[in-house]
Amino acid sequence: MTTTPPPRAALPAYDLTGRTAFVTGAASGIGRATAALLARAGATVHCADRDEDGLKETAALITRQGAGTAYTHPLDVTDRPALAAAVRAAGPLHVMAAIAGIMHTSTVLETRDEDLDRVLAVNFKGVLYACQEAARSMIDSGVHGSIVTMASGAMDTASPGLLCYSVTKAAVVQLTKTLATEAGPHGIRVNAVAPGWIRTPMTDRHEPAAQLQAEAAMVRHSPLGRVGEAEDIAHAVLHLASDASSFTTGQILRPNGGVAMPW
């Protein structure tokens, strides 16, 4: 006679029920996958992005999956007052996932001031503003929260044409480590995720043959033999956002398929 084993209990360390999360870049890609997963973990999720239609789609996805609650904040992360107002409207934060970012390609010799300024504004200043507002919210409300920033595997390599992008992502890592030392005494953890090649709208070459060629190159460098999906990174963010990483701060989590293995 066989018996059916009892259902496994949920892992309480990953339960975000009763917590409020704020996700930038939530209209697509990693940001959307993260917002949806945090909602599935029980969080009330505030989704921010300048793509208002994409935000509505993310909120609809969260509603369809039947878990969590989503609010939308159409804004540009480079607009400090707008971001600050949205964070205040969200109420005391428990989680900030600063994911919004852009890509730019140019060689060092071809890089113009306006190229660097634009990427710095979104990829560094936008993350800085999100971190500042989240930390203020957590400190003022006495919340021992988690701030998760989005770096990139580009910081571990020297890729032709990616000066602006890789420099800003390296800056995000330094911001993460510095804020971790300053916010730690308040019980706030600050960590970064540095993805490898992830299949998202940002990496879409818009032409099937070019996309296959680009992905094949990444696959050859990965011991796992595949590129990543947005959900792979969302799970990394959930880990750092949750109590499962309660003794982790100032660290860089690299879900990159083994393409880079820094000491």
Side-chain angles (χ1 to χ4, degrees):
M1 178 179 177
T2 59
T3 58
T4 303
R8 293 180 180 177
L11 294 173
Y14 288 96
D15 187 359
L16 300 182
T17 301
R19 303 187 193 186
T20 299
F22 198 102
V23 181
T24 70
S28 64
I30 293 171
R32 172 177 290 174
T34 296
L37 186 61
L38 296 181
R40 283 174 56 195
T44 295
V45 182
H46 289 258
C47 305
D49 201 295
R50 64 180 182 176
D51 178 359
E52 188 168 1
D53 290 338
L55 282 180
K56 292 177 181 177
E57 292 174 7
T58 299
L61 171 63
I62 291 172
T63 299
R64 288 197 305 272
Q65 70 186 18
T69 303
Y71 297 92
T72 59
H73 302 273
L75 58 84
D76 190 317
V77 293
T78 65
D79 186 341
R80 185 199 286 268
L83 184 56
V87 171
R88 286 195 301 271
L93 291 188
H94 299 82
V95 176
M96 167 61 78
I99 295 175
I102 60 173
M103 179 77 77
H104 172 78
T105 303
S106 64
T107 67
V108 172
L109 297 184
E110 294 170 337
T111 298
R112 305 169 299 173
D113 284 350
E114 52 265 39
D115 299 329
L116 182 58
D117 290 345
R118 182 171 63 91
V119 183
L120 277 170
V122 178
N123 290 7
F124 180 69
K125 285 187 176 182
V127 176
L128 172 63
Y129 300 161
C131 288
Q132 289 175 324
E133 297 308 323
R136 289 181 180 124
S137 172
M138 293 171 186
I139 291 170
D140 290 347
S141 57
V143 170
H144 291 184
S146 173
I147 297 173
V148 184
T149 63
M150 194 57 52
S152 169
M155 70 183 187
D156 292 321
T157 60
S159 300
L162 289 184
L163 170 71
C164 295
Y165 183 75
S166 58
V167 163
T168 57
K169 292 302 185 177
V172 165
V173 168
Q174 195 59 34
L175 164 63
T176 301
K177 293 179 178 181
T178 303
L179 183 56
T181 66
E182 297 174 351
H186 299 280
I188 299 169
R189 297 178 295 106
V190 190
N191 295 284
V193 177
W197 178 277
I198 307 300
R199 190 177 285 126
T200 68
M202 183 182 287
T203 59
D204 187 354
R205 295 296 185 263
H206 306 295
E207 201 281 314
Q211 186 71 17
L212 286 174
Q213 184 178 15
E215 292 190 5
M218 296 300 107
V219 168
R220 287 195 297 271
H221 288 91
S222 170
L224 296 180
R226 71 174 180 91
V227 298
E229 303 290 346
E231 289 73 17
D232 293 320
I233 310 308
H235 278 89
V237 175
L238 172 60
H239 174 70
L240 292 174
S242 72
D243 293 344
S245 62
S246 63
F247 195 50
T248 302
T249 197
Q251 304 303 309
I252 315 303
L253 183 57
R254 289 176 167 87
N256 61 23
V259 171
M261 303 182 187
W263 178 254

